[in-house]
């Protein structure tokens, strides 16, 4: 059995550019010592997706009925980092500067 999180990356037009699979539980190995259920925070490197505009998340399990997993389907995100495009950063900076100047003139 297994429980998998798939993260899909999409470009600005909504076209999928890649996917990264991460097993939250995996009991497929012939060696029982390699079987696991993830119990702690784990780092998932999405750099192979390249520059993407959005992420999509899918959960899937080998334990399912009628196309739906029997496994509870949840996961947590923490410390998600993103880098704004230069144009977006420039607009944000200009907006903050404008707000600062407006407040100063009042």
């Amino acid at each position: 059995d297994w429980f998998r999180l798939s993260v899909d990356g999409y470009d600005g037009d909504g076209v999928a550019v890649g996917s990264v699979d991460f097993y939250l539980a995996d009991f497929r190995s012939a060696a029982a010592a390699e079987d696991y259920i993830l119990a702690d925070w784990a780092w998932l490197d999405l750099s192979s997706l390249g520059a993407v505009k959005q992420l999509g998340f899918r959960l899937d399990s080998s334990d399912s009925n009628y196309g739906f997993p029997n496994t509870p389907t949840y996961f947590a995100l923490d410390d998600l980092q993103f880098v704004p495009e230069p144009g977006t950063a420039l607009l944000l900076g200009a907006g903050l500067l404008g707000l600062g100047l407006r407040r100063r003139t009042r």
Side-chain angles (χ1 to χ4, degrees), residues 14-104:
V15 176
V17 297
S19 182
V20 174
D21 289 336
F22 185 72
Y23 286 86
L24 301 170
D26 195 351
F27 290 86
R28 297 174 298 160
S29 176
E34 295 178 7
D35 294 342
Y36 66 90
I37 296 175
L38 193 64
D40 294 315
W41 288 100
W43 179 259
L44 176 57
D45 183 7
L46 300 176
S47 63
S48 65
L49 297 176
V52 296
K53 292 286 186 180
Q54 57 184 315
L55 298 173
F57 300 94
R58 292 178 287 125
L59 291 166
D60 195 16
S61 173
S62 60
D63 182 17
S64 63
N65 283 323
Y66 304 105
F68 297 99
N70 291 325
T71 308
T73 52
Y74 59 88
F75 63 97
L77 293 173
D78 185 28
D79 198 24
L80 186 64
Q81 299 175 5
F82 69 95
V83 178
E85 294 179 343
T88 304
L90 182 63
L91 285 173
L92 177 63
L96 291 174
L97 179 64
L99 287 173
L101 290 175
R102 183 173 180 208
R103 183 174 180 169
R104 187 174 183 194

